[in-house]
Amino acid sequence: MAANQVQLSLTHSTVIAQGLSSNMAGEEDSLTRDGGGIVDYARINGITLQAWSPFQKGFQDGVFIDSPDHPELNAELGRLAAKYGVTPTAIAVAWITRHPAGIQVVLGTTKPQRVADAAAGSDIPLTRGEWYGLIQAAGHSVP
Ligand SMILES: NC(=O)c1ccc[n+]([C@@H]2O[C@H](COP(=O)([O-])OP(=O)(O)OC[C@H]3O[C@@H](n4cnc5c(N)ncnc54)[C@H](OP(=O)(O)O)[C@@H]3O)[C@@H](O)[C@H]2O)c1
């Protein structure tokens, strides 16, 4: 298999967040919902992961960008967008592409401008602190 598509966004990040809370009893994120270790399996076997619904809050229930449901995350997206001179959309993409697994982003927008905004994110080398800060702002625990 050359590629595998998984649902992955900052707010629907279980395949990544489960590793941050591994073996932590009581932490919701420590539950494995993918059979266990799909990101590690893909990396070991040279399979490219592709992230679908990269901006959706959960399962097809709207985007988290500019959503009042995620004030802390949007504040952090806005802060980093200003720092790098891009849009919050680009930062949300950068969070996925910065992961060392080399994950590709499957966009669902029908707006050319949003495609351009998103594409700008793949060039942004978020620092580790910024990357972890984003998943924390999305509501996940970082040890
Ligand atoms: N392999 C699988 O199991 C699987 C499952 C689901 C989906 N997919 C693929 O993944 C693709 C992406 O999924 P998705 O469509 O859920 O992804 P998405 O890019 O997270 O969501 C796109 C949708 O959000 C809307 N949107 C509203 N505000 C937006 C903003 N600020 N930025 C970006 N989008 C905004 C878009 O509307 P506008 O058009 O107005 O921008 C569009 O309807 C799908 O098209 C499909 O091809 C694969």
Side-chain angles (χ1 to χ4, degrees), residues 4-9 50-60 62-66 89 105-111 114:
N4 189 11
Q5 294 197 345
V6 291
Q7 183 173 5
L8 175 62
S9 72
Q50 298 179 327
W52 56 264
S53 291
F55 310 120
Q56 295 287 316
K57 288 184 268 190
F59 184 70
Q60 305 296 322
V63 296
F64 58 77
I65 293 168
D66 292 333
T89 295
V105 178
V106 186
L107 303 174
T109 183
T110 57
K111 308 267 189 319
R114 283 183 177 150

Side-chain angles (χ1 to χ4, degrees), residues 2-121:
N4 189 11
Q5 294 197 345
V6 291
Q7 183 173 5
L8 175 62
S9 72
L10 260 164
T11 51
H12 188 286
S13 46
T14 57
V15 296
I16 287 174
Q18 71 189 30
L20 301 177
S21 292
S22 177
N23 196 35
M24 292 291 163
E27 285 282 352
E28 174 79 359
D29 281 346
S30 70
L31 301 174
T32 57
R33 293 186 164 82
D34 61 5
I38 197 169
V39 175
D40 296 334
Y41 181 87
R43 293 182 73 181
I44 290 166
N45 292 285
I47 298 167
T48 300
L49 290 177
Q50 298 179 327
W52 56 264
S53 291
F55 310 120
Q56 295 287 316
K57 288 184 268 190
F59 184 70
Q60 305 296 322
D61 52 358
V63 296
F64 58 77
I65 293 168
D66 292 333
S67 165
D69 296 342
H70 294 280
E72 198 181 334
L73 175 58
N74 277 291
E76 190 59 6
L77 288 170
R79 185 183 76 78
L80 294 172
K83 172 183 170 179
Y84 288 103
V86 294
T87 62
T89 295
I91 301 298
V93 165
W95 182 81
I96 295 172
T97 56
R98 177 66 178 81
H99 191 283
I103 301 169
Q104 298 173 346
V105 178
V106 186
L107 303 174
T109 183
T110 57
K111 308 267 189 319
Q113 186 57 50
R114 283 183 177 150
V115 174
D117 289 347

